[in-house]
Amino acid sequence: MTAPTSDTLSFSPLFQQQQAHQYKVARATAKERSRKLRLLEKAVLRYRPELQEALWADFRKPKAEVDLTEVYAVLSEIRHARKNLKRWMKAERVPTPLPLLGSRSWIVREPKGVCLIISPWNFPFQLAIGPLVSAIAAGNTVVIKPSEHTPATSAVIRKVVGAVFPEEEAAVVEGGVETATALLSLPFNHIFFTGSPGVGKVVMKAAARHLASVTLELGGKSPVIVDETADIQLAAKRIAWGKFLNSGQICIAPDYVLVHESRAAELESALTEAIAQLYGAEPSASADLGRMVNHSHLQRVAGYLEDARQRGARIVAGGKVDEEQKYMAPTIVCGVDRASALMQEEIFGPVLPLLTFARLEEAIGWVQQGEKPLALYLYSRDKKNIREVVRETRAGGTCVNNNDVHFMHPELPFGGSNNSGIGKSHGWYGFEAFSNARPVYQQLLPGALELLSPPYTSWKQRLIDLTVRWL
């Protein structure tokens, strides 16, 4: 059973129920937690057809994209956790330094307690259930607040969670901003939020009232650098796929391209061809291209494009908007004024600006001047350039000669840095985010440090001097 939407916005009873139940949940063994995750895996597969229908209803997400980016992403996370859970939960022995001889120490990963997951609309299933996997693996109780912008998918999330967990262990609460605000007023032990940097600051401020720890997966303007040595055809195909997947509504989508001036015309042409290969001559007729989630987001991105056009930008491909269908064509823009909204705001839509550079230092400098992006991508066959870009820039994650796909690697941490996020998720890093690393020190024999307690005689001072100098 899951928690229903509440008109009174009073979630204290649910919170208190989970708070009272948290220690029972925490006592679950690796085998018991693995069994819960296996049940969750079965529920995901059972509701897969409903999820496909829901995401088509919410913003026409193609069935194949649902399977790859929502269903498989979650199943991969579950299977990776089940495979490694016993090892993750095992106490970690640490060596004993010489001054502490006579003792032993280890680290246990204990659950943080009662956790809140606030998930977004762009990948509404994956970004709600993926963190849930980590939270359950770590032994927590969880409240999930999915996005109100994808109501059909939220209903499926409620069914999936309710099929596996009693509400004192994991519950889904639906609602809008008022619901999120009410939940954030409660003293959760950990809050996992995925969304914009602006709302992330609101979440962090609310968490600070209770000194709750946070994982913030945010966004920003993720650049692509294409140098003069790049394989342009390959780069164009991969950039186009990563940009226009989910109609550009991806936090790690390429936000803009910095291409060496000697290859700019070639890349323009290759990107135009790549769009046609992916979605046909008329992308609006393609069943493989999703829609914007609502009219507000469509108008926002269309406004960015119009602002850029009025400032002299040239639309190389796309540019078509259909308000009724919430459709925006995959669009390539060149000659963009760097002061335009298109270059100042995260686009989060199917518009890709191309800018040129003469020297790699210019591209690096452009990245350095902005906030740290959630992702940075580089297309190059020059090892020196690759090393220089990785060394001289900061980003949550990086792909070389690809984009977006690092998200799917279960052994890699995923997350941002500063404006693009705080903390990491996926696999071990997700388990760690929902855990407290608790050190345990046990004294077995009289310790050497006990010899150095007051009164501090001259010979004790000599021992202290030796300790300071040599140990």
Side-chain angles (χ1 to χ4, degrees):
M1 186 169 110
T2 57
T5 302
S6 171
D7 292 332
T8 63
L9 301 179
S10 177
F11 304 113
S12 292
L14 172 62
F15 178 84
Q16 291 166 1
Q17 192 178 18
Q18 291 201 354
Q19 197 172 43
H21 195 65
Q22 63 174 308
Y23 288 99
K24 180 179 179 181
V25 172
R27 287 194 293 272
T29 63
K31 184 176 181 179
E32 291 167 337
R33 295 182 196 181
S34 180
R35 183 184 63 80
K36 293 177 187 177
L37 293 176
R38 175 58 178 154
L39 291 174
L40 181 59
E41 179 180 3
K42 289 181 177 179
V44 171
L45 291 169
R46 185 190 325 151
Y47 286 100
R48 176 185 171 195
E50 284 191 39
L51 183 63
Q52 292 167 343
E53 293 174 5
L55 280 157
W56 181 265
D58 280 332
F59 54 115
R60 253 191 68 164
K61 183 175 284 196
K63 182 177 177 180
E65 281 189 20
V66 173
D67 282 342
L68 289 172
T69 65
E70 303 274 5
V71 175
Y72 174 72
V74 167
L75 294 178
S76 175
E77 193 75 24
I78 291 172
R79 291 161 184 165
H80 183 71
R82 292 186 69 226
K83 179 181 177 181
N84 293 282
L85 188 53
K86 186 175 181 180
R87 176 171 59 86
W88 292 347
M89 289 178 63
K90 188 176 181 181
E92 178 187 348
R93 291 292 297 270
V94 297
T96 301
L98 189 59
L100 297 179
L101 285 178
S103 71
R104 64 180 178 184
S105 303
W106 62 96
I107 300 168
V108 294
R109 264 78 187 185
E110 64 182 14
K112 285 192 172 177
V114 188
C115 301
L116 173 63
I117 296 171
I118 301 178
S119 57
W121 53 263
N122 59 326
F123 290 95
F125 186 76
Q126 177 214 124
L127 295 176
I129 304 301
L132 174 67
V133 172
S134 297
I136 295 301
N140 299 277
T141 60
V142 187
V143 174
I144 301 173
K145 193 282 181 190
S147 174
E148 67 276 19
H149 295 302
T150 46
T153 307
S154 293
V156 179
I157 293 171
R158 186 175 68 247
K159 289 181 180 180
V160 169
V161 174
V164 179
F165 303 102
E167 67 175 7
E168 63 266 23
E169 186 164 346
V172 176
V173 172
E174 295 179 75
V177 174
E178 297 85 359
T179 298
T181 301
L183 288 168
L184 287 169
S185 70
L186 297 170
F188 285 94
N189 300 111
H190 186 75
I191 300 172
F192 192 108
F193 169 80
T194 305
S196 69
V199 180
K201 293 174 184 177
V202 174
V203 171
M204 195 169 183
K205 184 176 180 179
R209 288 198 295 268
H210 304 291
L211 296 180
S213 57
V214 296
T215 302
L216 304 178
E217 293 195 355
L218 308 177
K221 299 186 72 62
S222 296
V224 184
I225 298 174
V226 181
D227 77 5
E228 64 274 26
T229 72
D231 181 329
I232 294 297
Q233 294 299 318
L234 182 65
K237 182 178 179 181
R238 291 174 179 174
I239 292 169
W241 170 80
K243 176 62 179 181
F244 302 118
L245 180 76
N246 209 41
S247 205
Q249 299 164 118
I250 310 176
C251 58
I252 55 172
D255 194 87
Y256 62 96
V257 176
L258 297 166
V259 56
H260 192 272
E261 59 187 14
S262 67
R263 311 299 299 278
E266 187 181 353
L267 183 61
E268 285 181 34
S269 176
L271 282 168
T272 303
E273 292 173 8
I275 291 171
Q277 290 171 1
L278 291 170
Y279 306 112
E282 182 44 71
S284 63
S286 173
D288 298 326
L289 182 65
R291 296 296 184 260
M292 301 295 284
V293 70
N294 56 41
H295 292 289
S296 175
H297 283 280
L298 174 65
Q299 290 164 1
R300 175 184 57 80
V301 179
Y304 292 169
L305 182 60
E306 178 60 20
D307 171 68
R309 190 187 64 79
Q310 291 184 4
R311 291 170 180 261
R314 174 171 54 93
I315 297 176
V316 175
K320 181 180 177 182
V321 174
D322 184 332
E323 287 270 357
E324 184 180 350
Q325 296 294 321
K326 294 182 291 187
Y327 167 78
M328 182 171 230
T331 300
I332 307 296
V333 191
C334 295
V336 180
D337 186 334
R338 295 193 178 192
S340 68
L342 204 58
M343 292 309 301
Q344 297 302 314
E345 305 293 335
E346 182 179 9
I347 299 170
F348 222 71
V351 178
L352 184 64
L354 268 61
L355 297 89
T356 62
F357 65 90
R359 296 180 299 110
L360 185 61
E361 291 80 5
E362 295 175 35
I364 290 172
W366 173 257
V367 175
Q368 290 175 342
Q369 290 169 20
E371 297 280 6
K372 296 176 185 175
L374 182 56
L376 182 148
Y377 306 122
L378 170 65
Y379 284 86
S380 174
R381 289 184 282 201
D382 187 310
K383 292 181 179 179
K384 180 182 176 183
N385 285 357
I386 294 170
R387 287 195 301 269
E388 185 174 357
V389 169
V390 173
R391 183 181 67 242
E392 298 298 329
T393 59
R394 301 286 183 272
T398 288
C399 292
V400 178
N401 293 323
N402 214 326
N403 40 256
D404 301 66
V405 295
H406 64 297
F407 182 91
M408 304 296 287
H409 196 317
E411 297 287 355
L412 289 177
F414 179 80
S417 178
N418 297 128
N419 193 70
S420 57
I422 295 174
K424 302 296 180 183
S425 62
H426 293 186
W428 159 254
Y429 303 94
F431 177 86
E432 188 177 41
F434 284 97
S435 302
N436 173 52
R438 180 177 181 176
V440 181
Y441 174 95
Q442 182 180 13
Q443 196 70 50
L444 301 172
L445 299 169
L449 288 180
E450 294 178 49
L451 298 174
L452 304 180
S453 59
Y456 296 122
T457 61
S458 58
W459 73 269
K460 286 184 180 181
Q461 184 60 55
R462 286 196 294 273
L463 286 177
I464 291 172
D465 292 342
L466 289 171
T467 299
V468 169
R469 181 179 294 273
W470 300 109
L471 301 180

